[in-house]
Amino acid sequence: MNFQYWLNLRTRGDSASADLVGHVETFGLKHTLLAGADYRRLISSTPRQQTDWGNPSTLDALNPDHPGTPFVPDPTMDSFFDGKNLEAGQYIQDQVELPHDVFITLGARRQRYGTDYGSVYPNLGIVGSSARKESKTTPRYGIVWRTRPWLSLYGSYTESFGASSGEIYPGTPMPPTNAKQYEGGLKAEFLGGKVHATVAYFDLTKTNIAKLDPDPTHLPAYRWSVPIGEVRSKGVEFDLQGELLPGWNTILTYANTDARINKDATATWQEGDRMDGVPRNMASFWMTYAFRGDTWQGLKLGVGASWRDKTYLSRPSAADTQKSLTPGYSLVNAMASYGFKSGSRRWTAQINVDNLFDKKYWSWADNSWSPEMAFISYGSPRSVTASLKVEF
């Protein structure tokens, strides 16, 4: 099967947040108190038309052109989907300054969410809807020790809770996802605070991650999801940013992530296998130069590159005991801006070029539904964005 879709996705989102910060002192200890709330709503409507181009074996996955093949929708494959997601939370936090430059953080968050989905498949005679509401309180703890004015050691533990998108056949909402994360590392400052560097180790365990339902008898195909019981990601992150030389600003990041499936009640994925779509290595680099002096004052030029390692597909094919790989890729971006004053206003004209060399790459791939067939999303081609900003 080789499908082409036409989607008319309509979304509307609303969000709001409010924070209140206070400083008090008790028994000689300084407290920074934080209390706040946030709210987020997303409403979507997706009519979809679809056609089947038949056997995909004649296509080049990296260049899937269909010369002379117009899109002619098949009315028997039409579908309609509406969804509403609501999230709201309240949180409190206390950061306490102890002797010897030690800081501890204690916090909690009350999270609530609600989902409401509706779908119609006229040809299959399916009209379905599902709704779910959940709430939970999660903690947060942290400690920072500033051993030197330029060096700090830290550790933290955080839990989170929220909705997991998708529905389980024949219309049950996905259970909520829970996460627990441990993190520790060091933060340093150099060149009088102009450059900041962080090295961190993290260990994140997350439950109920939605994947495509692999059962071909659960129709319509690709509509339903199943939850992976538990996925654990651990690894090291590094980032450096700041002004290395006058006018030269740099951002450098690197992450090494080992993401594996710990538990799977569906027996579809092998426990201990790598999680699909998560590269083992990722890196990025960005540098800008701001010209100084009367001639070029206000001009800034920048160039950057990002690299993403190969990733795994969800399920091995019958002839491949090892998981199939999706290729890694690297992208180059560039920018130029010019800032100037006119009267009391500050103007900035800027041009950004993403994917400068028009690299063709896979941004996402999934073969959960069938080991022999993958769903592939292609990354954005070269794009140019121009903007003009004015500050009063």
Side-chain angles (χ1 to χ4, degrees), residues 8-191:
N8 183 14
L9 177 61
R10 301 173 183 175
T11 62
R12 188 185 74 188
D14 305 299
S15 63
S17 63
D19 292 326
L20 180 64
V21 179
H23 301 276
V24 298
E25 185 172 338
T26 59
F27 305 104
L29 300 178
K30 296 180 180 179
H31 299 257
T32 300
L33 303 175
L34 169 67
D38 53 39
Y39 169 84
R40 186 165 57 249
R41 180 180 66 170
L42 179 64
I43 300 174
S44 60
S45 174
T46 314
R48 180 175 72 176
Q49 292 180 311
Q50 180 174 316
T51 188
D52 185 354
W53 270 332
N55 191 346
S57 62
T58 59
L59 299 178
D60 178 355
L62 290 175
N63 189 28
D65 294 326
H66 303 269
T69 306
F71 173 59
V72 180
D74 181 353
T76 65
M77 305 178 78
D78 286 353
S79 60
F80 307 90
F81 175 81
D82 293 290
K84 181 186 295 184
N85 293 273
L86 300 173
E87 294 187 24
Q90 298 83 39
Y91 46 89
I92 57 172
Q93 179 180 289
D94 184 11
Q95 183 184 79
V96 186
E97 183 177 348
L98 302 176
H100 307 293
D101 287 325
V102 175
F103 302 82
I104 62 171
T105 299
L106 305 173
R109 176 183 176 88
R110 182 65 176 176
Q111 177 75 13
R112 297 188 301 275
Y113 82 85
T115 59
D116 191 352
Y117 299 133
S119 54
V120 178
Y121 298 85
N123 187 50
L124 296 173
I126 295 177
V127 178
S129 63
S130 61
R132 188 178 195 122
K133 293 182 179 180
E134 298 278 354
S135 61
K136 188 177 181 179
T137 300
T138 55
R140 179 188 181 201
Y141 314 109
I143 183 169
V144 177
W145 178 28
R146 191 166 57 200
T147 62
R148 297 289 188 274
W150 56 273
L151 179 64
S152 298
L153 306 179
Y154 76 95
S156 66
Y157 170 77
T158 306
E159 293 184 15
S160 62
F161 167 82
S164 185
S165 61
E167 293 178 90
I168 301 172
Y169 181 84
T172 304
M174 287 281 293
T177 178
N178 292 269
K180 298 180 180 180
Q181 177 168 309
Y182 300 88
E183 184 175 329
L186 58 88
K187 298 183 179 183
E189 296 182 359
F190 306 99
L191 302 180

Side-chain angles (χ1 to χ4, degrees), residues 276-295:
D276 67 290
V278 182
R280 184 63 188 262
N281 298 283
M282 293 181 65
S284 66
F285 170 78
W286 184 258
M287 176 172 285
T288 61
Y289 178 69
F291 287 81
R292 301 184 178 188
D294 295 335
T295 305

